[in-house]
Amino acid sequence: MRPESLMMSFGYKPELSEGAIKSPIFQTSTFVFKSAEEGKAFFEVAYGHRKKNEGEELGLIYSRINNPDLEILENRLTLWDEAEECAVFESGMSAITTVLLEFLKPGDLLLTSTPLYGGSDHFIKKILPKFGIDYVSFKVGQTKEEIIEIVNQSGKADKLALIFIETPANPTNDLVDIRGSKEIANYFAKDGKQIYLAVDNTYMGPVWQHPLKHNADLVLYSATKYIGGHSDVIAGACLGSKELITRVKGLRTFLGNMAGPWTGLLLRRSLESLKVRMDTQAMNAEKVAAFLNSNQHVEKVYYLGNLTEKDGAQFEIRNRQCNTNGGMISFDIKGCEKEAFAFLNSLKLIKLAVSLGSTESLAEHPATMTHVDVDPEHRKLLSITEKMIRLSIGVEYYNDIIDDINQAIEIAVLS
Ligand SMILES: *Cc1c(COP(=O)(O)O)cnc(C)c1O
């Protein structure tokens, strides 16, 4: 069965909870052992002192280690990415930073794509160096050979330990080749050393792109975005093989940044409608992009659906990696900051806010908001200018979204 058919029931046994059709909230810090022998057996497994026996599951001990609300959520999340295991976190940033800390150590080199989400960028540039961890970056569109050269030029190629990418890039929808990134990892992996590839898949969510199928080792989400999808919860997730997620969960236990049981409930509820929400959002985005493409006051539209054969590698990567054209659209309004701000201030239905992937449509100004921290020269190179507006398309009736954009553009160009 497909994931959307299993989102209401997978991993939950009503007979363990008085027949309740929905899993209750296990608002408990600790769990009672049936006997001292059972407690001993649970701890042996939890601390890796022995392997699980055939069919044995990790027993419930303490909610920082495991909790039914999170376990059921994690099991359901694995279905979309066809991952062996999942770890959920109290935010997307805690998922990302836990992975960076688990797979990097002092002296190591990290390779990243750019631009990255502002929080990830800050952690890599300002926090990791305090632990003696260096980084180099490549830009979307650079070839495999050019990227290999960047790593070699760093003088620390033998220290490369992790590749961290984000695709499509925010806010321009430029694509990074996931399979190609793993080839770069393999190129530098010598003498049995593993170089892992982690992909922040927040922008496409678990329905539209499956990085593990393109040879990524770890996939990361801000579950605050499409997975949560209602702008009412902050959460994160990391998925991959049993071996790697066991490591991630190990560090999570000691950082203590797992999500709480209420987050488990909210995200399980969100997952039931994930597919229908994202289907509608992708369809609405197509209609909105078509409107923007034909509007005389719009200079350029950044949307995956606009890629054609003329775009070469980008078009090929889109066809290989993405199931849809997504729900994120950026566009340049004719003019500059004045017109962009007049547009944003004139919206009636669409809310002026950062974040993305929610049921309500959102608009924001990357140059002065989400991407204000990017070096101005670099920002120009990435085409993030004063006239750019980013839209996250929601589930409203598409003609209402289009009418709102249309009236705001009319006001903006007359201002
Ligand atoms: C929002 C976001 C994050 C951070 O997630 P939080 O849940 O806010 O911690 C990371 N990556 C991307 C691409 C995001 O959009």
Side-chain angles (χ1 to χ4, degrees):
M1 281 186 261
R2 297 222 199 154
E4 61 265 36
S5 307
L6 298 169
M7 282 305 117
M8 284 60 78
S9 59
F10 188 76
Y12 172 64
K13 299 190 185 89
E15 64 270 24
L16 294 182
S17 297
E18 306 277 7
I21 189 158
K22 293 293 162 182
S23 169
I25 302 169
F26 288 84
Q27 187 68 38
T28 185
S29 57
T30 193
F31 296 85
V32 179
F33 304 134
K34 290 196 187 84
S35 64
E37 288 76 12
E38 185 186 73
K40 178 184 173 185
F42 287 0
F43 267 91
E44 284 170 350
V45 173
Y47 280 74
H49 290 184
R50 68 169 170 87
K51 287 248 179 302
K52 282 184 217 168
N53 296 324
E54 186 79 13
E56 183 181 8
E57 299 209 10
L58 177 60
L60 293 165
I61 297 175
Y62 184 71
S63 286
R64 179 157 45 73
I65 301 171
N66 54 3
N67 174 293
D69 285 298
L70 299 189
E71 289 191 339
I72 297 166
L73 169 64
E74 287 168 345
N75 290 340
R76 287 186 192 167
L77 275 170
T78 61
L79 299 178
W80 297 99
D81 282 285
E82 294 181 25
E84 271 176 28
E85 290 237 10
C86 171
V88 291
F89 289 85
E90 62 187 354
S91 69
M93 278 315 300
S94 58
I96 291 166
T97 54
T98 301
V99 161
L100 294 173
L101 290 173
E102 175 58 28
F103 295 98
L104 293 165
K105 60 179 187 314
D108 278 350
L109 181 71
L110 167 70
L111 173 66
T112 80
S113 62
T114 176
L116 287 180
Y117 177 72
S120 309
D121 189 74
H122 182 93
F123 190 80
I124 289 165
K125 289 184 176 155
K126 306 275 162 63
I127 316 267
L128 284 184
K130 290 199 235 174
F131 298 93
I133 297 162
D134 225 344
Y135 70 94
V136 282
S137 303
F138 65 91
K139 297 181 188 72
V140 286
Q142 289 197 289
T143 65
K144 202 166 91 185
E145 291 68 32
E146 287 170 326
I147 300 167
I148 287 173
E149 186 55 24
I150 289 170
V151 175
N152 281 329
Q153 288 288 329
S154 76
K156 296 186 76 177
D158 59 325
K159 295 289 185 190
L160 183 65
L162 183 71
I163 302 180
F164 177 64
I165 63 172
E166 206 177 300
T167 180
N170 171 9
T172 54
N173 276 323
D174 289 305
L175 296 167
V176 181
D177 185 347
I178 299 171
R179 200 175 64 193
S181 299
K182 185 61 191 178
E183 284 166 11
I184 293 165
N186 290 339
Y187 175 89
F188 287 104
K190 300 209 169 78
D191 309 324
K193 177 178 130 184
Q194 283 281 352
I195 297 172
Y196 297 116
L197 171 65
V199 181
D200 182 337
N201 199 35
T202 301
Y203 229 61
M204 291 303 261
V207 177
W208 297 333
Q209 179 170 270
H210 301 118
L212 298 178
K213 287 193 187 148
H214 302 280
N215 300 344
D217 299 293
L218 292 160
V219 50
L220 289 153
Y221 293 103
S222 166
T224 311
K225 314 297 165 56
Y226 284 104
I227 294 174
H230 294 72
S231 301
D232 58 5
V233 62
I234 300 268
C238 175
L239 297 104
S241 69
K242 197 181 200 73
E243 183 198 344
L244 297 190
I245 299 302
T246 300
R247 285 181 60 179
V248 171
K249 281 187 174 168
L251 185 55
R252 185 186 67 173
T253 291
F254 298 103
L255 293 176
N257 54 1
M258 72 298 150
W262 283 88
T263 299
L265 170 86
L266 285 169
L267 291 187
R268 287 199 312 274
R269 193 171 178 163
S270 290
L271 281 180
E272 297 190 9
S273 62
L274 181 72
K275 179 69 164 50
V276 285
R277 279 188 282 117
M278 292 185 76
D279 280 351
T280 303
Q281 286 167 295
M283 187 197 73
N284 282 354
E286 238 174 86
K287 306 272 189 195
V288 171
F291 166 79
L292 291 170
N293 284 336
S294 64
N295 189 287
Q296 55 167 335
H297 304 299
V298 171
E299 205 169 279
K300 186 167 178 192
V301 181
Y302 305 80
Y303 173 59
L304 289 182
N306 282 4
L307 290 171
T308 65
E309 269 171 34
K310 284 204 297 287
D311 297 296
Q314 287 284 305
F315 181 65
E316 192 273 320
I317 297 169
R318 183 245 165 263
N319 290 346
R320 171 157 42 93
Q321 261 171 217
C322 311
N323 299 338
T324 72
N325 294 312
M328 297 298 296
I329 305 170
S330 294
F331 70 96
D332 293 338
I333 192 165
K334 278 189 186 152
C336 55
E337 186 180 286
K338 178 168 155 276
E339 284 74 12
F341 276 22
F343 170 84
L344 291 169
N345 291 336
S346 305
L347 291 167
K348 295 193 169 94
L349 176 70
I350 302 172
K351 296 289 176 285
L352 171 51
V354 299
S355 196
L356 60 101
S358 185
T359 44
E360 68 275 307
S361 294
L362 301 175
E364 64 110 5
H365 190 247
T368 59
M369 297 171 191
T370 47
H371 292 70
V372 67
D373 223 20
V374 179
D375 166 67
E377 274 306 300
H378 193 194
R379 210 157 53 212
K380 215 150 102 202
L381 208 74
L382 298 168
S383 328
I384 304 169
T385 60
E386 266 63 41
K387 58 192 167 185
M388 179 185 270
I389 288 148
R390 188 188 79 177
L391 299 173
S392 169
I393 305 299
V395 300
E396 304 92 339
Y397 174 43
Y398 60 82
N399 273 334
D400 289 334
I401 304 173
I402 291 170
D403 286 348
D404 195 30
I405 294 171
N406 193 28
Q407 64 84 24
I409 288 180
E410 291 298 324
I411 295 173
V413 296
L414 289 174
S415 65

